Amino acid sequence: MAIKKFILDTNVILHDYKCIYNFQENDIYIPITVLEELDKFKKGNDDINFNAREFSRDLDLLADNSIFTKGVSLGDSLGKLYIVTSYDYPEALQQTFSEKTPDHRILAVAYQLQKKYKNTIFISKDINLRLKAKSLGIVAEDYISDKVTSADIFDKKHATFSHIEAHLVDDLYKSKEGIPVEKFSFSSDIEPNECFIIKSSKSGVLARYNSFSQKVERVEKNKVFGIEPRNAEQAFAFNVMLDNNIKLVALTGKSGTGKTLLALAAALEQQENFQQVLLARPIVALGNKDLGYLPGDDKRKVSPYMQPLFDNLNVIKHQFNYQGKEVYKIEEMQREQKLVIEALAYIRGRSLSNTFFIVDEAQNLTPHEIKTIITRAGEETKIIFTGDIQQIDQPYLDMHSNGLVYMIDRMRGQELFAHINLTKGERSPLSELASNLL
């Protein structure tokens, strides 16, 4: 099989600093312009800044003078890495893209390598740059190492099993411990911690397969810290979040389905079981401006991005008397830093033990960021990821490559994991109408 030549764009490295090891026995070419662009991203606390620094460190360990001529080996069963320093700006580019921007200089390298070698492919997460490359006859592809092939699971509602024997449904209502899963005909069709509806000719029941007990258990619609589930999916969400055995939960759904509110209510309900309740969300800067562009200190800079979390906290407070013990407890937790709301960038490097950790807007995270967060989990920590894969604000992520969908795809079937997809909006009839039609 012929060795392929892959030219990498800057955004691929900023997305995954280990990307050069994901091309098997094929060779990797990095235009010198990419290194110049990476220099601009080294300073900062965001994940792309971390990736730029880590890639530079890895490159420093790999590189010697041969990287510019003969290439350096990336390891056993892997290809070589080259840095391209000299190139022309061909006439084909001058006619179409006369301005020598960094993107166009990278395209110039790809153009010349394609003329020199067969099986040359330009890799970029920038759709427009891939189109520019294709206009020049350059084969261009997205970086798909961490892409999920199908996101159909986010369109599906919970399963419903009909025509179940009536005595099994009756037994579920009577039994607190549940019924052994092998008694049900659908036992081979369900995954660990999957939630579903069981119907007989007489009645129906909400249920979950508890993989720890190997039983099907009834799910009740109980109020949780002032918040009452309005549909079956919200009841399912509360059930898995309140189960101490499940350490990782993903709540997905469109805007208005109650993802963040449910997660916060579940956290406050279990406050005595954890040393801290931590809410965080990634910051996607407006207009591609860095946080430094905003006035004030760190807290003032991130405050506008954190406001939706405070809004959900206020919704819960309004379920109780303003001077009630529940509101007092929430405010006491905030004063004592037992309930903390902050930007996700400030979590890096911390080890989170005995923490109920809610990560909001997780669809704006890369697979590497999701992995970094989960690996921060210490003893007795529970992590809830919430997100809407239809509302991705990061320019180089999509429905198939964001960290939330990647994590769900990889974690499905694991005993410690549960995924609930919320499909019914409960914010208001107007919100639901807009979400469906606009």
Side-chain angles (χ1 to χ4, degrees):
M1 187 171 63
I3 298 295
K4 295 178 181 178
K5 313 290 184 180
F6 289 99
I7 304 103
L8 301 189
D9 191 10
T10 313
N11 50 58
V12 177
I13 296 169
L14 293 176
H15 176 79
D16 177 8
Y17 74 90
K18 291 287 188 181
C19 60
I20 56 176
Y21 301 103
N22 293 332
F23 291 87
Q24 300 176 332
E25 72 278 4
N26 302 299
D27 293 337
I28 308 296
Y29 289 80
I30 298 178
I32 194 70
T33 306
V34 168
L35 300 186
E36 293 173 4
E37 289 202 293
L38 287 176
D39 274 337
K40 302 173 185 177
F41 290 94
K42 284 183 179 179
K43 294 181 180 180
N45 296 319
D46 292 338
D47 204 72
I48 58 172
N49 308 123
F50 171 81
N51 287 347
R53 292 191 294 267
E54 287 299 301
F55 179 80
S56 296
R57 293 188 185 105
D58 283 359
L59 191 61
D60 185 49
L61 295 174
L62 283 170
D64 55 36
N65 289 337
S66 62
I67 199 171
F68 304 106
T69 53
K70 300 178 181 179
V72 295
S73 174
L74 290 169
D76 294 340
S77 302
L78 297 176
K80 290 184 176 182
L81 175 66
Y82 297 81
I83 293 178
V84 182
T85 57
S86 59
Y87 59 90
D88 297 323
Y89 199 75
E91 186 176 346
L93 263 79
Q94 292 181 24
Q95 291 177 352
T96 310
F97 312 115
S98 58
E99 189 178 354
K100 294 182 181 180
T101 63
D103 280 355
H104 297 159
R105 287 155 56 197
I106 292 169
L107 280 184
V109 173
Y111 184 84
Q112 288 182 271
L113 284 172
Q114 178 136 316
K115 293 296 182 184
K116 187 175 181 181
Y117 302 109
K118 294 181 179 179
N119 298 320
T120 299
I121 303 169
F122 176 56
I123 305 295
S124 175
K125 297 197 71 63
D126 186 334
I127 297 174
N128 287 338
L129 191 56
R130 293 203 302 269
L131 289 173
K132 287 182 178 182
K134 290 174 181 178
S135 74
L136 297 167
I138 302 169
V139 178
E141 296 179 359
D142 192 3
Y143 178 68
I144 59 173
S145 174
D146 51 13
K147 271 203 168 191
V148 174
T149 55
S150 174
D152 292 345
I153 189 172
F154 300 98
D155 298 324
K156 294 180 181 178
K157 293 185 178 181
H158 52 267
T160 299
F161 298 104
S162 303
H163 310 297
I164 303 299
E165 295 175 65
H167 73 89
L168 290 176
V169 175
D170 293 339
D171 289 347
L172 267 179
Y173 274 104
K174 295 174 184 177
S175 173
K176 289 185 178 180
E177 292 77 21
I179 300 175
V181 66
E182 59 267 17
K183 289 189 176 183
F184 294 90
S185 58
F186 54 78
S187 59
S188 60
D189 299 327
I190 54 177
E191 296 181 342
N193 302 313
E194 183 175 348
C195 297
F196 41 84
I197 293 178
I198 300 174
K199 289 184 177 180
S200 70
S201 58
K202 296 180 180 179
S203 61
V205 62
L206 307 184
R208 172 169 75 92
Y209 168 45
N210 187 328
S211 57
F212 295 94
S213 65
Q214 298 289 302
K215 292 182 178 180
V216 173
E217 300 173 352
R218 181 162 67 99
V219 173
E220 299 183 39
K221 282 189 174 182
N222 294 328
K223 186 178 288 189
V224 176
F225 211 83
I227 302 299
E228 186 171 357
R230 296 186 178 183
N231 55 53
E233 293 155 346
Q234 290 190 352
F236 293 151
F238 275 143
N239 183 270
V240 297
M241 287 190 290
L242 295 175
D243 188 333
N244 290 329
N245 290 319
I246 301 174
K247 302 300 183 183
L248 180 63
V249 177
L251 296 186
T252 56
K254 59 189 177 183
S255 177
T257 50
K259 304 179 294 294
T260 310
L261 181 64
L262 297 174
L264 182 54
L268 292 172
E269 181 72 18
Q270 303 173 85
Q271 58 188 269
E272 300 297 333
N273 299 336
F274 298 92
Q275 291 180 354
Q276 187 180 57
V277 174
L278 180 60
L279 291 83
R281 62 185 347 224
I283 292 175
V284 182
L286 299 175
N288 293 322
K289 292 184 171 65
D290 187 73
L291 277 179
Y293 172 81
L294 299 173
D297 58 16
D298 288 351
K299 290 189 180 296
R300 284 194 62 194
K301 289 178 190 294
V302 303
S303 179
Y305 299 96
M306 300 302 108
Q307 191 57 48
L309 299 179
F310 286 105
D311 291 342
N312 280 284
L313 188 59
N314 287 331
V315 170
I316 292 178
K317 286 182 178 180
H318 291 156
Q319 307 304 309
F320 304 103
N321 186 299
Y322 180 71
Q323 295 181 329
K325 63 179 182 179
E326 293 86 359
V327 174
Y328 175 80
K329 183 62 178 178
I330 292 173
E331 293 174 348
E332 182 183 45
M333 289 176 67
Q334 288 182 281
R335 286 194 300 270
E336 296 178 356
Q337 293 291 293
K338 292 184 178 179
L339 174 59
V340 178
I341 297 176
E342 63 184 11
L344 193 58
Y346 299 151
I347 308 298
R348 180 179 298 284
R350 292 171 57 179
S351 180
L352 303 172
S353 298
N354 209 324
T355 301
F356 195 106
F357 187 18
I358 301 170
V359 182
D360 197 29
E361 300 291 339
Q363 78 277 3
N364 286 318
L365 298 172
T366 66
H368 177 70
E369 286 174 308
I370 290 279
K371 179 181 178 180
T372 301
I373 292 167
I374 297 175
T375 54
R376 295 265 68 85
E379 290 293 327
E380 300 304 319
T381 287
K382 190 182 189 90
I383 304 179
I384 314 294
F385 288 100
T386 72
D388 176 5
I389 64 168
Q390 302 283 354
Q391 293 190 356
I392 296 173
D393 301 313
Q394 290 285 15
Y396 301 127
L397 296 179
D398 58 31
M399 289 178 62
H400 298 273
S401 65
N402 69 86
L404 179 61
V405 70
Y406 179 79
M407 182 266 292
I408 293 170
D409 183 67
R410 292 300 179 95
M411 287 291 183
R412 286 175 64 184
Q414 299 299 314
E415 283 192 338
L416 296 178
F417 174 71
H419 170 223
I420 304 296
N421 188 41
L422 305 170
T423 59
K424 186 178 180 182
E426 296 289 356
R427 185 172 288 163
S428 69
L430 177 59
S431 173
E432 175 75 352
L433 183 65
S435 181
N436 291 332
L437 298 182
L438 301 182

